């Protein structure tokens, strides 16, 4: 990013390295301030709001650019003088300042417009400061002071208009919602990847919660498809519009390149995947490369992966468009690429959740609950958490969406995670719990169906530790528990188990575009679906191994798809599971 300021798709990028404002005068004189005022005027003019009519009546009929210049000059004067003195200095502002309540409403509306934008600040740690920018060493202070400057400017202007100080102050975050330090990682790009050269790598992220974004889509649809030609050959990437998040996805190193218009998704990655440190990726070729939001002139949505054997890279590609403005497209492609690599190495990827539980009586178990989106895996974890005070002394989440099973040197199945966070439906969490996590969560479309939050739930050292598997359960959300039946049933043979796990049946919950009772191969559309023949071989191998090594394999009826049992079902299943663990 070379510019000091950009405003695109309701997202603001402020480059502190190029320019950093320390005074009200510098702030109002900045190019960024002018851009925001102009964008605000364009918005209210298009909607013909009362605010715009007030401006027209007060300043006469003009072009927006002239309105913008007048308003900026007026705001600058109001940082120094009260409204009465401003009128004495320049009588052209008498009419607009005469109706103080209307003008104050205009200021509040402009300030509200600014705060509704997604705001990001950037520091380039590898570039020389020329005196106007800010060095990375004061990264946190720079963001705090910038937010304070905007807030003080707004308050000063408002006080000079109304003529007195307000009785109540609300200390709202007014600067960046998130701040980034970026650097240039000079890994040795193969020829086919040179289009990605010099795209800045994110090395640090500062979040100002609550972080709330409003992506244009709320569900994901379809499968990620394989292509047999590198999709980067036919796309266009503006390096000034892209950033790279270096992630540790399980044991794999992934470089995730994303367009600035999807910055909220890129920043959200820090709550989901461990960020690789500079020394871990400097000059290092990744296992995974993902390009999100490249332009290729196609109106068709492309969600592709390319197994680049020549360069030893699993490549993901999604082209630019409003249709992919949903975090599921970011997260699930990364996990698909991870799973494809796991299958190539002979490991079994698992779409589900795993938890290590220690009961109050000292008994413990490592439990995997497997199922596709909406089957009840995350909801079961939530039920465990809600009942933990009565039953559990300690609980460690190993994975909340995707993991893998490997065999150790003794043939014992061990499970590993991929993510340090969880991407969960707000509706499926206890409301009180969601509010308790507000200070570290990232919320997406909290006012809509399938509202989501992303929050950290585990440490990286825990997810890659490798836990022996004690219980391996399929999340059955579509069958009710009849009187006298147990919420947990065990399978008697590998063949019986494979039949249920492979079918991947579930009642769709609105997390994707599917409806009703549906099936997905091995409940995993992310890698296993694309490699069914290879996965069939792994299913036989790993299920036979689990039965031979004493792993209890069965199904847990979460009843999540049964009307009226969305909360009660997972809770009852959790209680039954606790009883089983206590008796082990």
């Amino acid at each position: 990013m070379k510019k000091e300021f950009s405003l695109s798709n309701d997202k603001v990028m402020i480059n502190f390295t190029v320019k950093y404002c320390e005074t009200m005068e510098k702030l109002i004189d900045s190019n960024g301030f002018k851009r925001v005022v102009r964008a605000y005027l364009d918005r209210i003019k298009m909607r013909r709001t009362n605010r715009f009519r007030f401006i027209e009546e007060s300043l006469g009929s003009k072009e927006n650019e002239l309105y913008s210049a007048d308003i900026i000059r007026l705001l600058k004067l109001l940082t120094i003088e009260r409204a009465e003195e401003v009128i004495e200095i320049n009588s052209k502002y008498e009419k607009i300042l005469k109706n103080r309540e209307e003008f104050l409403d205009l200021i509040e509306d402009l300030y509200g417009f600014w705060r509704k934008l997604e705001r990001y600040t950037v520091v380039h740690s590898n570039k020389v400061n020329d005196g106007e920018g800010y060095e990375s060493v004061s990264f946190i202070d720079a963001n705090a002071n910038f937010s304070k400057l905007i807030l003080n400017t707004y308050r000063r202007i408002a006080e000079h208009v109304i003529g007195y100080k307000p009785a109540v102050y609300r200390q709202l975050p007014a600067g960046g919602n998130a701040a980034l330090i970026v650097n240039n990682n000079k890994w040795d790009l193969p020829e086919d990847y040179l289009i990605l050269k010099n795209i800045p790598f994110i090395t640090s992220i500062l979040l100002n919660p609550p972080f709330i974004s409003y992506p244009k889509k709320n569900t994901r649809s379809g499968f990620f498809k394989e292509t047999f030609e590198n999709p980067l050959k036919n796309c266009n990437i503006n390096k000034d519009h892209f950033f790279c998040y270096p992630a540790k996805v399980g044991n794999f190193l992934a470089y995730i390149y994303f367009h600035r218009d999807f910055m909220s998704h890129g920043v959200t990655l820090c709550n989901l995947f461990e960020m690789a440190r500079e020394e871990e990726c400097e000059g290092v070729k990744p296992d995974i490369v993902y390009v999100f939001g490249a332009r290729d002139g196609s109106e068709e949505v492309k969600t592709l992966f390319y197994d680049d054997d020549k360069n030893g890279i699993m490549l993901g590609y999604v082209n630019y468009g409003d249709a992919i403005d949903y975090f599921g497209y970011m997260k699930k492609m990364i996990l698909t690429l991870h799973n494809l690599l796991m299958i190539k190495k002979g490991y079994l990827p698992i779409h589900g959740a795993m938890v290590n539980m220690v009961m109050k009586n000292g008994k413990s178990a490592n439990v995997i609950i497997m199922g596709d989106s909406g089957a009840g895996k995350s909801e079961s974890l939530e039920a465990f958490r809600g009942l933990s005070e009565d039953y559990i002394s300690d609980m460690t989440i190993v994975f909340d969406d995707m993991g893998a099973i490997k065999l150790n040197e003794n043939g014992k199945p061990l499970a590993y995670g991929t993510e340090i966070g969880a991407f969960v439906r707000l509706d499926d969490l206890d409301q009180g719990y969601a509010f308790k996590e507000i200070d570290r969560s990232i919320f997406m479309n909290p006012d809509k169906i399938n509202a989501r939050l992303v929050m950290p739930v585990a440490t990286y050292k825990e997810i890659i530790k490798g836990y022996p598997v004690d219980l391996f359960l399929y999340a059955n959300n579509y069958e009710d528990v009849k009187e006298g039946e147990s919420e947990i049933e065990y399978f008697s043979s590998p063949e019986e188990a494979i039949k249920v796990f492979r079918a991947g049946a579930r009642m769709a919950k609105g997390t994707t575009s599917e409806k009703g009772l549906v099936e997905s191969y091995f409940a995993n559309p992310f890698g296993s679906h694309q490699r069914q023949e290879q996965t069939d071989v792994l299913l036989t191998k790993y299920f036979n191994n689990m039965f031979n090594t004493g792993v209890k394999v069965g199904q847990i009826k979460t009843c999540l798809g049964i009307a009226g049992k969305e909360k009660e079902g997972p809770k009852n299943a959790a209680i039954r599971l606790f009883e089983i663990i206590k008796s082990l």
Side-chain angles (χ1 to χ4, degrees), residues 414-450:
L414 302 180
Y416 301 80
T418 55
E419 307 151 292
I420 59 168
F423 176 50
V424 296
R425 279 165 47 98
L426 201 55
D427 292 347
D428 293 326
L429 290 175
D430 175 75
Q431 277 191 336
Y433 182 64
F435 282 114
K436 287 176 188 174
E437 297 298 316
I438 197 169
D439 61 337
R440 65 190 193 123
S441 296
I442 296 175
F443 292 80
M444 298 172 183
N445 288 330
D447 56 333
K448 296 180 181 177
I449 295 173
N450 199 33

Side-chain angles (χ1 to χ4, degrees), residues 455-470:
M455 61 183 178
V457 295
T459 62
Y460 184 69
K461 70 175 183 178
E462 289 292 344
I463 70 172
I464 62 168
K465 178 179 176 180
Y467 283 82
V469 182
D470 296 314

Side-chain angles (χ1 to χ4, degrees), residues 201-212:
F201 273 53
I202 299 170
T203 60
S204 294
I205 294 179
L206 171 69
L207 290 178
N208 287 313
F211 187 101
I212 302 173

Side-chain angles (χ1 to χ4, degrees), residues 279-534:
E279 60 270 25
E280 292 177 311
C281 53
E282 180 64 34
V284 178
K285 181 179 74 67
D287 305 292
I288 292 169
V289 170
Y290 184 22
V291 178
F292 188 86
R295 298 183 187 272
D296 55 19
S298 174
E299 295 295 323
E300 177 192 0
V301 176
K302 294 179 182 177
T303 54
L304 308 171
F305 68 88
Y306 173 61
D307 188 356
D308 186 359
D309 267 331
K310 182 179 77 171
N311 294 302
I313 292 173
M314 192 65 74
L315 171 66
Y317 175 86
V318 172
N319 61 343
Y320 187 97
D322 288 347
I324 55 98
D325 190 9
Y326 173 59
F327 187 67
Y329 285 101
M330 176 72 86
K331 165 191 165 80
K332 293 299 190 181
M333 175 64 90
I334 296 167
L335 295 176
T336 298
L337 301 173
H338 166 274
N339 291 348
L340 292 166
L341 284 174
M342 281 292 174
I343 293 169
K344 282 184 78 170
K345 292 177 177 290
Y347 306 134
L348 185 64
I350 302 296
H351 188 197
M354 181 180 185
V355 62
N356 164 258
M357 285 186 286
V358 180
M359 310 305 290
K360 287 189 173 181
N361 67 355
K363 297 291 181 67
S364 66
N366 302 316
V367 183
I368 294 177
I369 299 177
M370 192 188 112
D372 203 351
S373 183
K377 50 192 185 297
S378 295
E379 292 77 12
S380 296
L381 290 184
E382 169 64 8
F384 298 160
R385 185 204 59 75
L387 294 164
S388 61
E389 193 170 321
D390 296 328
Y391 293 87
I392 302 173
S393 63
D394 199 16
M395 185 171 90
T396 301
I397 295 174
V398 182
F399 54 89
D400 186 79
D401 186 33
M402 204 71 70
I405 298 177
K406 307 176 184 179
L407 303 182
N408 67 7
E409 61 276 6
N410 300 317
K412 178 74 176 175
L414 302 180
Y416 301 80
T418 55
E419 307 151 292
I420 59 168
F423 176 50
V424 296
R425 279 165 47 98
L426 201 55
D427 292 347
D428 293 326
L429 290 175
D430 175 75
Q431 277 191 336
Y433 182 64
F435 282 114
K436 287 176 188 174
E437 297 298 316
I438 197 169
D439 61 337
R440 65 190 193 123
S441 296
I442 296 175
F443 292 80
M444 298 172 183
N445 288 330
D447 56 333
K448 296 180 181 177
I449 295 173
N450 199 33
R452 294 277 184 156
L453 66 81
V454 182
M455 61 183 178
V457 295
T459 62
Y460 184 69
K461 70 175 183 178
E462 289 292 344
I463 70 172
I464 62 168
K465 178 179 176 180
Y467 283 82
V469 182
D470 296 314
L471 286 92
F472 188 36
L473 304 173
Y474 182 79
N476 177 334
N477 77 340
Y478 54 91
E479 288 185 345
D480 203 350
V481 179
K482 297 176 183 177
E483 189 175 348
E485 289 184 344
S486 171
E487 288 83 358
I488 295 175
E489 302 171 345
Y490 296 122
F491 297 116
S492 58
S493 68
E495 293 76 21
E496 184 185 5
I498 289 172
K499 184 179 179 182
V500 172
F501 279 83
R502 190 182 188 280
R506 80 189 195 285
M507 186 66 70
K509 286 278 293 173
T511 57
T512 67
S513 58
E514 299 168 307
K515 294 180 180 180
L517 186 63
V518 296
E519 293 186 351
S520 58
Y521 175 82
F522 195 45
N524 194 348
F526 314 108
S528 296
H529 168 83
Q530 292 83 353
R531 294 286 186 268
Q532 294 189 23
E533 188 175 334
Q534 297 94 319

